[in-house]
């Protein structure tokens, strides 16, 4: 009964349905117990993904300069308060409602929402050429065990959507939350470069994890 209600609510909202990927267009959909993940469809989806990692706590580990793109905390909170496809009844600004089309060489980016209320929760990124993965959660979604679900979804995306037998993820030695989430998601310690240069130019220490599958395939 609960699953059928969630399915009907998702259909009513116009959100993508897991199992109905469009790999020829670079679009994927999958779900975990509490998250729905899908390729961004609008600029709002992309902006919300950036807003989820633009705070100082996230940028300490990511160094992605999303904080420079969205420096205003009020704007970040406003973006995360929207629902995809205007599910909360509000009309989206025209600029945010414009469609987003992933490029053929872009990393696979999936924005995620909470299945309970369809609120934006974070994002997942997979570099399909190297098999390296990263992910982040919005401030209100941290400390709830969702990181493990996010990384499990990343492994599923790599193995059953992108056809990768191995996916790897790096973390700073001091980022215990990410390292714990990776282990809970079934990743195991792996060898790799001892340091990593973040997009903002900082050189940080790195520890690596990997997830393997003997039956990798691509979605159709």
């Amino acid at each position: 009964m609960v699953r059928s209600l969630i399915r009907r609510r998702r259909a009513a909202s116009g959100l993508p349905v897991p199992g109905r990927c469009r790999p020829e267009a670079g679009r994927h959909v999958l779900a975990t117990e509490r998250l729905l993940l899908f390729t961004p469809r609008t600029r709002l989806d992309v902006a919300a993904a950036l807003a989820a990692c633009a705070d100082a706590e996230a940028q300490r580990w990511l160094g992605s300069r999303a904080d420079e793109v969205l420096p205003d905390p009020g704007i970040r909170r406003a973006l995360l308060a929207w629902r995809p496809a205007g599910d909360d009844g509000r009309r989206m600004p025209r600029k945010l409602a414009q469609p987003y089309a992933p490029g053929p060489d872009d990393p696979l980016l999936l924005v995620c929402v909470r299945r309970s209320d369809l609120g934006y929760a974070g994002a997942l990124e997979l570099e399909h050429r190297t098999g390296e993965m990263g992910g982040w959660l919005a401030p209100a979604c941290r400390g709830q065990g969702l990181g493990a679900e996010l990384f499990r979804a990343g492994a599923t995306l790599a193995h059953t959507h992108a056809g990768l037998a191995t996916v790897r993820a790096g973390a700073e030695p001091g980022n215990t939350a990410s390292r714990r989430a990776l282990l809970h998601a079934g990743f195991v310690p792996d060898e790799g470069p001892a340091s990593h240069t973040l997009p903002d130019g900082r050189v940080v220490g790195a520890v690596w994890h990997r997830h393997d599958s003997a039956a990798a395939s691509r979605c159709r």
Side-chain angles (χ1 to χ4, degrees):
M1 174 64 75
V2 174
R3 280 188 181 176
S4 63
L5 287 174
I6 292 175
R7 194 175 295 115
R8 286 200 299 271
R9 182 176 183 184
R10 188 185 304 123
S13 72
L15 286 176
V17 177
R20 297 183 183 177
C21 298
R22 293 175 54 207
E24 74 285 353
R27 298 191 176 278
H28 301 271
V29 191
L30 63 156
T32 66
E33 180 182 355
R34 292 179 288 173
L35 298 174
L36 173 67
L37 303 97
F38 54 92
T39 304
R41 301 177 305 160
T42 65
R43 290 189 177 183
L44 171 61
D45 291 336
V46 177
L50 288 173
C53 70
D55 60 289
E57 180 182 356
Q59 286 304 309
R60 174 187 175 191
W61 309 113
L62 296 174
S64 65
R65 294 180 178 163
D67 57 334
E68 295 181 10
V69 177
L70 293 171
D72 189 324
I75 292 177
R76 298 199 295 262
R77 287 192 296 270
L79 286 168
L80 292 171
W82 284 90
R83 297 294 181 268
D87 183 61
D88 55 0
R90 292 186 294 170
R91 185 175 180 178
M92 282 192 292
R94 182 177 301 177
K95 187 174 183 179
L96 292 178
Q98 291 179 357
Y100 166 80
D105 296 324
D106 292 345
L108 298 180
L109 174 66
L110 271 62
V111 65
C112 63
V113 299
R114 296 182 296 269
R115 294 177 64 175
S116 60
D117 61 2
L118 303 183
Y120 285 109
L124 178 74
E125 190 173 64
L126 172 68
E127 178 49 74
H128 45 83
R129 289 166 295 192
T130 65
E132 292 187 9
M133 180 195 73
W136 57 88
L137 292 168
C141 297
R142 298 167 193 164
Q144 303 171 33
L146 289 174
E149 289 193 32
L150 187 68
F151 291 140
R152 275 196 295 270
T156 299
L157 177 67
H159 300 322
T160 67
H161 291 242
L164 299 175
T166 299
V167 60
R168 285 163 41 89
E172 286 190 46
N175 192 345
T176 55
S178 288
R179 296 177 64 185
R180 188 183 307 117
L182 286 165
L183 293 174
H184 286 171
F187 284 70
V188 296
D190 193 19
E191 296 182 355
S195 63
H196 174 70
T197 302
L198 297 174
D200 63 6
R202 283 183 290 139
V203 178
V204 298
V207 291
W208 295 88
H209 302 75
R210 77 172 192 276
H211 195 287
D212 299 315
S213 172
S217 62
R218 293 182 180 271
C219 60
R220 300 179 179 178

